[in-house]
Amino acid sequence: MAGLTVIDASTLFAGPFAARLLGDFGAEIIKVEQPAGDPVRRYGHAYNDVPLLWKMLSRNKKSVVLDLREARDADRFVGLAIKADAVIENFRPGTLERWGLGPQVLTEANPRLVLARVTAFGQDGPYAGRPGFGTLAEAMSGLAAMSGEPDGPPALPAFPLGDAVAGLHTALAVLIALRARDLIGTGQIADVAITETLIGALGAQLTVYEHLGIKPDRVGNRSNNSAPRNVYRCADQRWVALSAPARSVAERVVRLVGRPDLCAEPWFATGVGRAAHREVIDDAIRPWIAARGRDEVVAAFETAEAAVAPIYEVDDVLTDPQFRARGLTVDVPDAELGTVRMPGVPFRLSATPGRIDWAGPPVGSHTEDVCGTLARAETAHSSTGEAGA
């Protein structure tokens, strides 16, 4: 992505996450903040009054403060867009237009610009003007209704899942639009609705309902498609998670726990059949695991080539030998905290790996540099024009 410039004018999670992914692989990310600073600076835990989520989410970004409601700063924003390859924004539909910075203005200034617009419901439709965040998408996509215990309320995820899914889709949309630009010569608008990206990630539930009239049940940690799939408490009060979507793996599990007779049951042959009898399977697995410590359980399952994993807390993640061997976390230089430890680049490329050069910067720390360069370029262009005249 080196040589590409992306303006991140979005706030909170989905848009900034997309820009962060692009920045991990070399794109120049210009983070445009309002004078009060991005809301993430006031979100979550802080160390020495420095927001830690900001440090991770805004790594590799340059912070520029612009009040887009003011004409002078709006003109500066257009100037940045002229030299950019993409803009990512997540204002409520119509906001950029009210500030004189709508798609028509930006794309007229730079026909090759890709404009990614991330909102809860999209740029049109009866809900377009509603404010919305990932939580609303988690509710309206059907995710919450299918999450939680059967006798409990719908459950929301414990982290901004909807925003993370939308952020991944936004980064992909920008890359596809940039590839298309190479072919057709112009940029385009990417309209990303958080609700729609999450609905698409939930699988075939809409198709199943349309054809069979079946709604997903709340089954807690279990699955409607296969069994065993659940969490189990070990003798040392620690937990493991087990999944066996394939029949061969399910057979290994029930043989391991001393119930090979289940393999001969007609219903055991299909995932749906096993799911319908998940109580029987769980009743076979639960006491076997409950009689053993977690390490013994994991070792036995690995020997049997059956899928199981310890349920980790954050300190377990940091000390796990697999994650340590892969360099899961990196210490990133930071002007305020010296170094900040954070998750590294989320995937590996063999020829062009990503990297993290700095953590999220202080508010406005690159305004003079970025906007000063823009002003100098405008002055030089003006001088050249006068000389030519």
Side-chain angles (χ1 to χ4, degrees):
M1 300 294 290
L4 293 174
T5 298
V6 178
I7 300 174
D8 176 13
S10 57
T11 60
L12 291 176
F13 303 117
F17 181 49
R20 197 213 79 186
L21 291 171
L22 301 175
D24 280 352
F25 287 90
E28 180 186 30
I29 309 297
I30 299 174
K31 174 70 179 181
V32 173
E33 302 185 67
Q34 297 286 3
D38 191 281
V40 168
R41 293 184 180 274
R42 299 174 291 280
Y43 195 97
H45 295 286
Y47 178 71
N48 290 343
D49 295 325
V50 177
L52 295 177
L53 178 59
W54 169 263
K55 290 297 178 184
M56 186 276 292
L57 192 60
S58 297
R59 67 196 194 193
N60 291 332
K61 299 182 183 181
K62 297 178 178 179
S63 173
V64 172
V65 171
L66 295 176
D67 187 345
L68 300 183
R69 299 172 180 82
E70 298 292 333
R72 180 172 179 268
D73 280 357
D75 288 341
R76 282 179 162 184
F77 186 83
V78 174
L80 293 175
I82 289 173
K83 297 182 177 300
D85 298 280
V87 170
I88 300 174
E89 63 95 3
N90 67 343
F91 299 106
R92 200 183 304 185
T95 301
L96 281 185
E97 286 82 350
R98 288 198 305 273
W99 294 342
L101 296 171
Q104 184 174 352
V105 173
L106 296 179
T107 57
E108 182 177 335
N110 180 3
R112 291 176 57 81
L113 183 71
V114 171
L115 175 59
R117 316 193 76 180
V118 189
T119 57
F121 304 106
Q123 295 295 313
D124 52 24
Y127 299 162
R130 291 184 181 180
F133 300 96
T135 298
L136 276 65
E138 291 151 10
M140 296 181 68
S141 64
L143 172 64
M146 62 192 295
S147 302
E149 295 298 327
D151 57 350
L156 295 168
F159 73 105
L161 174 63
D163 287 294
V165 171
L168 290 167
H169 281 78
T170 302
L172 179 60
V174 169
L175 293 175
I176 292 172
L178 290 172
R179 168 60 177 158
R181 187 182 70 175
D182 293 340
L183 301 175
I184 65 177
T186 59
Q188 58 185 296
I189 298 170
D191 179 359
V192 181
I194 303 174
T195 45
E196 294 168 11
T197 62
L198 194 51
I199 288 169
L202 292 179
Q205 64 168 349
L206 298 184
T207 305
V208 169
Y209 180 76
E210 282 292 321
H211 287 271
L212 300 174
I214 298 173
K215 295 181 180 180
D217 298 324
R218 280 201 294 280
V219 292
N221 293 308
R222 293 166 168 174
S223 169
N224 284 313
N225 299 312
S226 67
R229 198 264 194 181
N230 210 338
V231 299
Y232 306 88
R233 192 196 299 266
C234 304
D236 54 8
Q237 304 305 304
R238 295 190 291 179
W239 293 80
V240 294
L242 167 60
S243 178
R247 177 181 179 177
S248 59
V249 179
E251 287 181 351
R252 294 176 204 146
V253 171
V254 296
R255 291 183 190 280
L256 173 65
V257 301
R259 290 296 306 276
D261 57 295
L262 295 178
C263 299
E265 295 288 348
W267 49 261
F268 198 88
T270 67
V272 173
R274 294 193 301 277
H277 294 79
R278 51 183 170 250
E279 292 288 354
V280 175
I281 296 175
D282 272 351
D283 286 345
I285 296 171
R286 191 178 292 111
W288 189 93
I289 290 179
R292 294 162 174 81
R294 190 178 74 179
D295 292 345
E296 182 184 351
V297 171
V298 171
F301 269 76
E302 288 181 354
T303 300
E305 297 184 348
V308 73
I311 292 181
Y312 277 172
E313 296 190 30
V314 64
D315 52 339
D316 299 310
V317 174
L318 289 170
T319 57
D320 181 271
Q322 170 67 19
F323 298 150
R324 291 175 67 89
R326 294 270 294 173
L328 173 75
T329 60
V330 293
D331 291 322
V332 180
D334 182 66
E336 295 176 287
L337 298 178
T339 60
V340 181
R341 177 162 293 185
M342 64 180 67
V345 178
F347 53 90
R348 320 295 169 86
L349 297 182
S350 60
T352 57
R355 70 185 190 195
I356 306 168
D357 293 322
W358 66 84
V363 61
S365 55
H366 299 92
T367 302
E368 184 175 347
D369 177 40
V370 172
C371 292
T373 300
L374 179 64
R376 288 190 293 273
E378 291 173 347
T379 300
H381 176 76
S382 177
S383 299
T384 303
E386 291 174 0

